[in-house]
Amino acid sequence: MKKIVILSGAGMSAESGISTFRDNNGLWKNHRFEDVASPEAWRKDPALVLEFYNMRRKNLFESEPNPGHFALADLEQKFDVKIVTQNVDDLHERAGSSSILHLHGELKKARSTGDPELIYELNHWALNMGDTCEKGFQLRPHIVWFGEMVDNISPAILLVKRADILLVIGTSLNVYPAAGLIHYAPAHCTKYLIDPDASNSHLFPGLEIIPEKSGTALPVLVKRLLDTAMDS
Ligand code: APR
């Protein structure tokens, strides 16, 4: 089976009603990330940080995967598909994809501030001050904040290094180390970028640009890939 690696960003979930970060009405147009998504912000005003993620988590509980997510799940019929996502939503999981590596954490999980090994699934959107782990430490969002280590970047690099096809979907390619993953694709790898406004694509030579929304482009591209896949 040929190996397909997906590198997805916020644009993947835009058609599900999840805000992107740098589009016109993106999250970083309405918030300074330094105030809501950094260790300094947590130290300064943890309640404001919790409120920012509660608002996003509430939106996620009210959102559904879109045709782009379902198309990627269909790819697994004939390909070895690994998803590496910058997104903290669970829409790839809910669409049925089976191998997903989150680079920037998961919105529906909380982590102990006293023991990072203690991670909890949240089945409700509200995480508040006073919500503690079993050892009594305050819970925080299980998110990689600006300035924190991206623990999953090494396994992500290993996945990209073995890709026959790389689909880069809905990311402005502004944030490292995630954006740098593209450089690890092997020479023979076919690389696509799906983004209606691929403004940074010139920084990444060899990308075949599909300037469309992922909810529209992916069902078409996936059908083409499945139709032409060798039955192996
Ligand atoms: N389909 C495909 N692409 C889309 C769509 C869509 N329907 N709508 C918007 N896009 C594209 C935009 O053109 C943009 O290039 O998605 C990209 C979104 O870029 P960003 O908002 O910068 O999101 P992302 O690249 O995922 O940000 C990376 O930055 O703030 C951090 O941790 C955060 O994971 C995030 C990281």
Side-chain angles (χ1 to χ4, degrees):
M1 263 186 174
K2 281 202 169 185
K3 297 174 172 49
I4 296 188
V5 174
I6 312 291
L7 175 60
S8 63
M12 180 82 221
S13 300
E15 291 158 90
S16 295
I18 307 264
S19 296
T20 64
F21 294 93
R22 297 173 183 82
D23 282 332
N24 295 335
N25 190 30
L27 284 169
W28 300 149
K29 296 291 189 291
N30 301 306
H31 303 271
R32 283 172 17 97
F33 69 80
E34 296 87 345
D35 296 338
V36 291
S38 70
E40 296 70 29
W42 179 255
R43 274 192 289 279
K44 184 178 161 200
D45 189 346
L48 176 65
V49 173
L50 288 175
E51 184 189 328
F52 173 68
Y53 285 96
N54 283 348
M55 175 266 295
R56 294 175 63 193
R57 197 174 299 111
K58 187 170 187 299
N59 175 227
L60 176 55
F61 272 98
E62 294 159 0
S63 303
E64 296 294 331
N66 66 59
H69 294 103
F70 290 113
L72 293 182
D74 290 344
L75 264 185
E76 295 184 19
Q77 295 165 23
K78 292 190 178 177
F79 293 93
D80 168 357
V81 181
K82 305 288 185 204
I83 294 184
V84 175
T85 187
Q86 298 171 88
N87 298 342
V88 294
D89 64 54
D90 63 343
L91 298 180
H92 283 303
E93 288 88 343
R94 283 158 58 193
S97 289
S98 56
S99 176
I100 299 149
L101 188 63
H102 285 272
L103 294 176
H104 296 162
E106 298 178 67
L107 193 51
K108 286 188 176 178
K109 291 183 179 173
R111 186 170 83 227
S112 166
T113 51
D115 177 353
E117 300 297 312
L118 295 178
I119 298 170
Y120 304 86
E121 291 282 343
L122 294 170
N123 50 26
H124 180 63
W125 57 267
L127 178 64
N128 297 312
M129 293 307 289
D131 291 348
T132 57
C133 72
E134 59 217 62
K135 294 183 176 176
F137 294 102
Q138 172 67 44
L139 291 175
R140 58 161 275 182
H142 182 49
I143 298 288
V144 179
W145 286 329
F146 284 88
E148 294 186 319
M149 292 291 290
V150 178
D151 294 338
N152 284 337
I153 196 65
S154 298
I157 288 169
L158 293 178
L159 291 177
V160 175
K161 280 184 168 180
R162 65 199 258 290
D164 297 308
I165 298 172
L166 177 68
L167 302 186
V168 183
I169 307 166
T171 174
S172 62
L173 299 169
N174 269 304
V175 173
Y176 287 76
L181 282 170
I182 298 177
H183 298 307
Y184 289 95
H188 75 276
C189 179
T190 306
K191 302 188 288 276
Y192 297 93
L193 172 61
I194 298 176
D195 189 326
D197 170 25
S199 50
N200 272 347
S201 58
H202 60 285
L203 300 174
F204 299 87
L207 284 172
E208 181 181 331
I209 313 294
I210 303 176
E212 294 173 31
K213 291 185 174 184
S214 48
T216 309
L218 278 172
V220 173
L221 177 61
V222 164
K223 182 176 184 323
R224 176 153 61 90
L225 289 170
L226 289 173
D227 288 349
T228 53
M230 303 297 287
D231 285 319
S232 52

